[in-house]
């Protein structure tokens, strides 16, 4: 540990309690950081691609998650190392920004770190490496733009969108019925998409799951499902042409916010209070009835008496509906959320063509379906599957597919998948490297090598000879001048990804490269790690 | 340079072959555990809880056994989960699904050892599962058209389900019971409407199905014990002190006399409420909540039978059978629908008094009274009956029926074998393995019955070589028999669920190549 001395030879204390801290400096710190980053990337490497494997994650409470989604794996891992945490962050930001490619970005960063290690050993300064990477990433992103293609889709021609979603889903366990799920995702996104503004609010798509049944039974509901049943068991189970009053006030006597006390000191007061109370309930129900509602959806509970009155007046009601669902119902049915009974008017009612209660399996599980809504913008994807883990994994996969579809609507440029884009970038970067004078040239070349590692991992996971396959595809790309050649993971028999219909979004790929480069730059710039030592 | 530790202290990571092996071992251990309970001659397990009293459960029901296990192995958890889902979804086949998934993994383990990639195995399994399902679809019988045949189908299914349980001695009797109960539901799958009351004492044969409704409650003092032509009001209302619900209300008085006045008013209020209730023209009042002595007395005076504190399920069922509505306000007597039944009386079962409603209007709900030597027997009988009821109610909705006794497995195995022969590539090994896993089920059934499984399964396979054969294992006589003649049937829905969830689970476990275990959360030691 470094010590400083004053003119009398007494040591200055620079770090508090320094003997209790461990400190790594210089090249050692960089190497330690790089190896930690690589270790994380190594875990995810086998999950990449359509033939990638899953991981079992056991949480501190013993719950089991089985997944193939990079972001989920990293999030649930009990990571202690700071650099490893950076990698976790990296994958998370890809998830937030793009929603897909969370595994790829970590693998890419791992490969960049590996290359950097070699350059460090040759004595190149880390900042020069970082700068070289920066230049190279710019070249790669520009090249991606160059090889990308626009493609047209409309509400009638959804095929290209479905194909892209299928590419995303094919690496997940749900790839058995990827076609079905991809169609569901695309239809869901299109029905909530605002094509003019090119924006999609994914909050309008609710993904619900219930165990039991087959994956094939997964359906898209043009409406909302609520995991609740009618407040009174004898209310009608099916309502056609429902007019829905959406309330956030309870069917209970009002509770003013200000503190107050009602003192009862005479019999008369007692009696008036009682009558008053009965009138409250009567008024509430009557008001709902007066505006013509045929269904009441309430965020709060009902008093027993109110419940019976509702039942009595033939006004079905649902209680304890969560805030988010309430909002969705309001959006879907075109109703307004009404906070007070006094403000209930016929215009504020929502409309739905059909509201029905549906029960599942042998247990008393019931769900409420609200369909054929006035404004069919809010949709629900209802997942069925053999077990809880399957449903959770399907939810994650659908989320990825939804994100991809949304990205395409925002920006309809695509690049081809199967590692073809990476290989093409690698060739371009390699070629550009020679033009740069200075040490950065080496870093740029290293970047090109790192880009190769994604197709290499793809080939490895698919059981192909990685080096042979990659070099064959690379030479083919150069010879045919065709940037669409990639790794044939599914044994289709052609390397041309255009024929295999494997697409990825342009922004997804660009983000991957930019984010990975950024994180690697950050890691390379660290030359001192001070941490409390273990006791 | 040492590789940096990236996980927290107690977290562990297992990779590749080791991870795969850990999950295979866990899954196969679970399978071996429940394997012996499969089939009509399967054995039971004793489960002792670690909780207070060390309660003992004796059962043969796969889901119950697995639910009570404390498992650490993640792959084993997957299997337990599918068993639970099978229980919730179709109610039966909870053991079969685990055994099939386990056998699939056992076969997969061999293939992995023979250097076949798990992904190849998965795609082979998928093809095989699809093919097996189609094979079943081709051979289903559907007797929806004829009510009589359908009823006999239901009887057969119920008997097959019950034959592996404690009720197997009286399976004809209980099958009849279960079929009667389910037919009353008229296609609804809401088993809540069937109430099962357990009373120790007597023998299992003394159990009976009651057409009416039995409420496990006593009749209030001084009230009539027998009412003919009863008009029933089912209510959910406070009959203790009816509180003022307006927030912040409280009583503040300055003299004793005023307290008395208010008390009087309160009493008056209750009296009014009772009067209103009686004004409905009823002679029986059932409330979900407590009824205090004072109103009870008023009811007794009016000759109305008042039953307090019926639980929520009881109220709902009662409303269902008597056709009344559950009321909470009593101002409009003319529009409240009253329940109706011919006779209410107090009956004795064993030592307990129960209230019996007979001659009810809507016959949807019914009550099954189980009698038996001990609580353990009763609990197990209830589980068995529940299985049967679940399967039957599902079959009423999906009327397709298959034969039992290992017949469906053999049919599937044959088709899958043929597919294996036609499929080029490494997948065919996996498909073949799938068929071997299917055959394992009749083998286990035979083994559990103490029969020569190798011989029987070989005979069965030969018999199935002919088209349209109905051969299965006849455990009773220990030979291959015609399932149509023996009347052993199973529901198609159950078999399909077994096949699909088992394949799904096996696939899920096979795809794993790494297990990351987080450090267990630190807890206070409560033991």
């Amino acid at each position: 540990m470094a010590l400083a001395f004053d003119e009398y030879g007494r040591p200055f204390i620079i770090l508090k309690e320094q003997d209790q801290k461990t400190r790594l400096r210089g090249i050692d710190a960089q190497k330690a950081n790089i190896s930690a980053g690589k270790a994380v990337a190594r875990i995810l490497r086998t999950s990449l691609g359509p033939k990638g494997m899953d991981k079992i994650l056991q949480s501190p409470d013993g719950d089991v998650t089985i997944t193939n989604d990079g972001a989920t794996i990293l999030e649930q891992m009990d990571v202690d190392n700071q650099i490893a945490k950076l990698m976790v962050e990296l994958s998370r930001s890809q998830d937030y920004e793009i929603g897909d490619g969370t595994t790829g970005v970590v693998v890419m960063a791992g490969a960049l770190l590996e290359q950097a290690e070699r350059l460090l050993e040759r004595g190149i300064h880390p900042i020069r490496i970082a700068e070289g990477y920066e230049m190279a990433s710019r070249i790669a992103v520009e090249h991606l733009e160059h090889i990308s293609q626009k493609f047209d889709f409309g509400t009638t021609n959804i095929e290209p969108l479905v194909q892209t979603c299928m590419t995303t889903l094919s690496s997940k366990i749900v790839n058995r019925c990827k076609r079905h799920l991809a169609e569901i995702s695309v239809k869901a996104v299109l029905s909530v998409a605002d094509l003019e503004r090119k924006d999609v609010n994914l909050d309008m798509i609710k993904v619900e799951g219930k165990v039991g049944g087959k994956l094939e039974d997964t359906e898209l509901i043009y409406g909302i499902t609520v995991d609740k049943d009618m407040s009174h068991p004898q209310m009608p189970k099916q309502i056609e042409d429902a007019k829905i009053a959406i309330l956030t006030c309870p069917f209970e006597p009002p509770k003013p916010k200000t503190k107050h006390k009602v003192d009862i000191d005479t019999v008369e007061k007692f009696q008036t209070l009682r009558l008053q109370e009965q009138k409250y309930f009567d008024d509430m129900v009557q008001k709902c009835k007066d505006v013509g509602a045929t269904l009441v959806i309430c965020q709060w509970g009902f008093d027993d008496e109110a419940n019976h009155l509702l039942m009595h007046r033939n006004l079905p009601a649902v209680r304890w509906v969560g805030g988010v669902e309430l909002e969705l119902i309001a959006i879907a049915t075109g109703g307004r959320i009404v906070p007070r009974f006094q403000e209930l008017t016929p215009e504020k009612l929502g409309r739905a063509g059909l509201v029905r209660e549906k029960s599942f399996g042998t247990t008393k599980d019931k769900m409420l379906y609200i369909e054929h809504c006035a404004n069919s913008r809010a949709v629900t994807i209802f997942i069925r599957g053999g077990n809880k883990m399957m449903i959770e994994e399907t939810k994650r996969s659908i989320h990825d597919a939804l994100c991809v579809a949304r990205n395409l609507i925002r920006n309809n440029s695509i690049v081809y998948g199967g590692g073809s884009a990476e290989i093409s970038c690698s060739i371009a970067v390699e070629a550009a490297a020679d033009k740069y004078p200075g040490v950065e040239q080496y870093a740029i070349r290293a970047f090109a090598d790192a880009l190769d590692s994604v197709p290499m991992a793809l080939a490895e996971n698919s059981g192909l000879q990685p080096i042979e396959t990659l070099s064959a595809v690379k030479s083919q790309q150069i010879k045919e001048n065709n940037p669409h050649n990639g790794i044939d993971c599914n044994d289709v028999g052609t390397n041309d990804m255009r024929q295999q219909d494997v697409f990825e979004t342009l922004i997804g790929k660009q983000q991957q490269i930019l984010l990975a480069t950024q994180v690697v730059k950050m890691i390379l710039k660290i030359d001192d790690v001070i941490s409390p030592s273990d006791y | 340079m040492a590789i940096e530790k990236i996980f927290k202290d107690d977290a562990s990571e297992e990779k590749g072959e080791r991870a795969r092996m850990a999950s295979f071992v866990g899954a196969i251990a679970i399978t071996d555990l429940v394997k012996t309970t499969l089939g009509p001659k399967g054995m039971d397990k004793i489960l002792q809880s670690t909780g207070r009293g060390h309660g003992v459960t004796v059962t043969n029901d796969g889901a119950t056994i697995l639910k009570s296990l404390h498992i650490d192995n993640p792959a084993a958890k997957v299997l337990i989960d599918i068993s639970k889902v099978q229980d919730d979804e179709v109610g039966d086949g909870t053991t079969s699904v685990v055994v099939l998934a386990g056998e699939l993994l056992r076969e997969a383990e061999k293939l992995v050892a023979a250097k076949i990639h798990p992904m190849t195995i998965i795609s082979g399994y998928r093809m095989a599962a699809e093919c097996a399902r189609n094979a079943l679809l081709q051979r289903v019988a559907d007797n929806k058209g004829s009510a009589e045949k359908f009823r006999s189908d239901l009887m057969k299914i119920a008997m097959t389900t019950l034959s592996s349980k404690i009720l197997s001695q009286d399976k004809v009797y209980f099958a009849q019971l279960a079929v009667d109960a389910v037919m009353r539901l008229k296609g609804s799958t809401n088993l809540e409407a069937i109430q099962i009351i357990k009373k120790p004492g007597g023998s299992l044969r003394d159990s009976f199905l009651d057409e009416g409704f039995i409420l496990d409650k006593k009749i209030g003092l001084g009230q009539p014990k027998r009412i003919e032509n009863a008009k029933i009001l089912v209510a959910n209302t406070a009959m203790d002190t009816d509180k003022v619900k307006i927030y912040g209300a409280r009583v503040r008085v300055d003299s004793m006399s005023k307290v008395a006045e208010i008390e009087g008013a309160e009493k008056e209020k209750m009296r009014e409420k009772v009067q209103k209730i009686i004004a409905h023209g009823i002679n029986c009042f059932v409330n979900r909540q407590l009824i205090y002595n004072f109103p009870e007395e008023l009811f007794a005076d009016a000759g109305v039978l008042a039953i307090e504190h019926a639980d929520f399920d009881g109220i709902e069922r009662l409303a269902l059978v008597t056709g009344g509505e559950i009321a909470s306000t009593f101002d409009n007597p003319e529009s409240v629908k009253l329940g109706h039944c011919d006779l209410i009386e107090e009956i004795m079962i064993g030592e307990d008094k129960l209230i019996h409603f007979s001659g009810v209007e809507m016959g949807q709900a019914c009550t099954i009274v189980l009698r038996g030597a001990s609580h353990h027997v009763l609990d197990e009988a209830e589980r068995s009956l529940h299985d049967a009821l679940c399967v039957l109610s599902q079959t009423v909705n999906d009327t397709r029926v298959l034969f039992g006794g290992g017949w469906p497995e053999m049919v599937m195995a044959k088709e899958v074998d043929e597919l294996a022969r036609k499929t080029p590539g490494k997948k065919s090994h996996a498909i073949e393995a799938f068929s071997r896993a299917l055959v394992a089920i009749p083998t286990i059934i035979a083994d559990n019955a103490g029969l020569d499984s190798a011989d029987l399964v070989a005979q069965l396979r030969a018999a199935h070589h002919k088209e349209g054969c109905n051969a299965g294992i006849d455990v009773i006589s220990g030979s291959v028999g015609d399932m149509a003649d023996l009347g052993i049937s199973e529901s198609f829905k159950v078999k399909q669920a077994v096949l699909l969830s088992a394949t799904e689970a096996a696939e899920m476990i096979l795809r794993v190549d790494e297990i990351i275990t987080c450090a267990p959360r630190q807890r206070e030691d409560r033991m």
Side-chain angles (χ1 to χ4, degrees), chain B residues 262-454:
Chain B
I262 286 177
E263 205 188 330
E266 219 167 60
K267 256 193 178 159
E268 195 50 44
K269 183 185 167 194
M270 186 48 75
R271 194 192 300 277
E272 249 173 52
K273 193 167 183 181
V274 173
Q275 286 309 332
K276 269 190 210 154
I277 292 169
I278 294 171
H280 284 68
I282 54 163
N283 46 18
C284 174
F285 175 71
V286 185
N287 192 13
R288 188 178 78 85
Q289 298 172 24
L290 275 177
I291 303 178
Y292 269 19
N293 286 350
F294 175 65
E296 191 177 336
E297 188 195 317
L298 291 177
F299 281 123
D301 286 348
V304 171
L305 173 63
I307 301 164
E308 64 164 3
H309 222 220
D311 54 274
F312 208 87
D313 285 346
I315 283 286
E316 246 174 63
R317 282 198 201 107
L318 196 61
L320 204 64
V321 278
T322 59
E325 70 181 49
I326 302 173
S328 295
T329 53
F330 309 100
D331 290 328
N332 312 306
E334 64 287 343
S335 60
V336 171
K337 249 168 69 193
L338 295 179
H340 181 268
C341 78
D342 288 345
L343 179 68
I344 301 176
E345 60 181 341
E346 200 172 52
I347 54 163
M348 301 268 289
I349 298 178
E351 285 200 329
D352 296 308
K353 284 182 195 162
L354 303 164
I355 305 168
H356 182 221
F357 299 76
S358 57
V360 290
E361 267 179 4
M362 311 228 288
Q364 275 212 19
C366 58
T367 305
I368 295 175
V369 179
L370 283 178
R371 310 298 313 274
S374 72
H375 277 295
H376 300 307
V377 173
L378 283 176
D379 286 348
E380 178 65 0
E382 188 192 355
R383 277 192 291 272
S384 314
L385 203 58
H386 174 254
D387 279 10
L389 290 174
C390 288
V391 174
L392 289 178
S393 68
Q394 294 293 334
T395 317
V396 171
N397 283 342
D398 184 347
T399 52
R400 288 173 289 184
V401 173
L402 295 164
F403 292 119
W407 178 84
E409 282 82 10
M410 293 310 288
V411 169
M412 290 190 274
K414 188 183 161 224
E415 288 294 320
V416 172
D417 254 342
E418 241 150 60
L419 175 72
R421 258 174 254 145
K422 279 182 258 166
T423 311
K426 282 192 273 191
K427 274 182 223 161
S428 72
H429 293 286
I431 299 172
E432 227 176 274
F434 196 93
S435 115
R436 273 202 299 279
L438 284 171
V439 174
I441 289 194
T443 314
I444 294 168
I445 294 180
D447 275 337
N448 285 347
L451 304 172
D452 184 351
S453 60

Side-chain angles (χ1 to χ4, degrees), chain A residues 77-378:
Chain A
M77 264 177 6
D78 225 354
V79 170
D80 203 22
N81 187 291
Q82 302 83 349
I83 302 301
K85 277 184 187 152
L86 275 182
M87 301 291 268
V88 175
E89 284 290 319
L90 166 68
S91 161
R92 197 178 298 155
S93 54
Q94 174 86 7
D95 194 25
Y96 287 161
E97 195 59 31
I98 306 295
D100 187 34
T102 49
T103 315
V105 69
V106 176
V107 172
M108 179 77 208
L112 285 173
L113 285 172
E114 200 173 326
Q115 294 296 333
E117 195 177 12
R118 266 183 230 158
L119 297 178
L120 279 176
E121 267 162 22
R122 291 160 81 172
I124 299 178
H125 193 271
I127 297 293
R128 306 295 287 270
I129 302 176
E131 261 156 31
Y133 277 1
E134 180 68 40
M135 289 174 201
S137 73
R138 233 175 289 140
I139 301 168
V141 169
E142 264 163 37
H143 183 72
L144 278 178
E145 196 100 39
H146 179 66
I147 61 166
S148 72
Q149 292 185 346
K150 296 262 178 205
F151 77 148
D152 289 320
F153 62 87
T155 37
T156 46
N157 176 24
I158 58 168
E159 191 56 28
L161 285 174
V162 174
Q163 290 288 356
T164 321
C165 287
M166 271 165 68
T167 310
T168 307
L169 290 174
S170 64
S171 66
K172 316 278 175 185
I173 191 163
V174 294
N175 63 5
R176 182 158 44 105
C177 49
K178 60 179 172 188
R179 173 94 218 169
H180 182 61
L181 291 180
E183 272 171 18
I184 285 180
S185 314
V186 171
K187 279 183 196 154
V189 168
L190 280 180
S191 61
V192 303
D194 186 343
L195 287 176
E196 266 156 38
R197 276 195 309 125
K198 291 199 171 182
D199 196 14
V200 182
N201 184 0
L202 285 187
D203 289 341
M204 308 272 262
I205 302 174
K206 200 166 148 226
V207 183
E208 280 276 335
K210 199 138 208 138
V211 281
K214 314 191 284 283
L215 202 53
E216 283 83 355
D217 295 338
T218 301
E219 53 180 341
L220 177 67
I221 298 161
Y222 289 99
I224 309 285
T225 59
V226 186
D227 203 349
K228 289 276 177 298
D229 50 2
M230 295 292 180
S231 64
H232 196 290
Q234 286 164 324
M235 285 176 180
K237 307 277 182 228
Q238 189 162 344
I239 306 156
E240 275 168 34
D241 283 326
K243 296 198 183 79
I244 306 170
I246 305 160
L247 299 172
T248 52
C249 44
F251 274 92
E252 273 164 20
K255 289 178 185 166
K257 293 274 177 345
T258 43
K259 269 208 165 172
H260 70 289
K261 286 190 186 97
V262 182
D263 284 346
I264 303 172
D265 49 8
T266 61
V267 177
E268 290 76 53
K269 276 191 184 170
F270 180 79
Q271 248 133 15
T272 38
L273 211 56
R274 223 186 83 215
L275 287 175
Q276 184 75 35
E277 184 187 299
Q278 276 176 351
K279 218 167 116 356
Y280 265 137
F281 290 133
D282 230 33
D283 277 359
M284 286 174 189
V285 178
Q286 197 53 45
K287 265 182 196 131
C288 296
K289 199 74 189 164
D290 281 348
V291 293
T294 54
L295 174 71
V296 177
I297 289 177
C298 184
Q299 198 176 10
W300 302 101
F302 302 161
D303 193 271
D304 285 341
E305 279 189 55
N307 202 359
H308 179 248
L309 277 175
L310 284 168
M311 157 77 194
H312 202 83
R313 303 262 166 95
N314 203 7
L315 193 60
V318 189
R319 58 181 153 183
W320 298 121
V321 178
V324 183
E325 274 122 10
L326 209 66
E327 234 167 75
L328 275 176
I329 292 172
I331 294 170
T333 59
R336 292 267 295 278
I337 297 176
V338 180
R340 267 184 293 275
F341 287 100
Q342 288 79 3
E343 287 167 22
L344 211 53
T345 55
E347 302 83 61
K348 287 181 180 169
L349 296 181
R351 268 152 223 275
L354 179 67
V355 177
R356 64 197 165 99
E357 204 178 80
K358 196 175 168 188
S359 57
F360 293 98
T362 61
T363 46
K364 207 180 146 193
D365 257 354
K366 284 187 188 136
M367 302 261 293
L368 205 66
Y369 282 54
I370 301 174
E371 289 171 297
H372 309 302
C373 300
N375 172 9
S376 65
R377 291 276 304 279

Side-chain angles (χ1 to χ4, degrees), chain A residues 64-79:
Chain A
V64 174
T65 312
I66 299 184
T67 182
N68 170 298
D69 182 47
T72 315
I73 297 173
L74 289 176
E75 210 140 298
Q76 305 221 348
M77 264 177 6
D78 225 354
V79 170

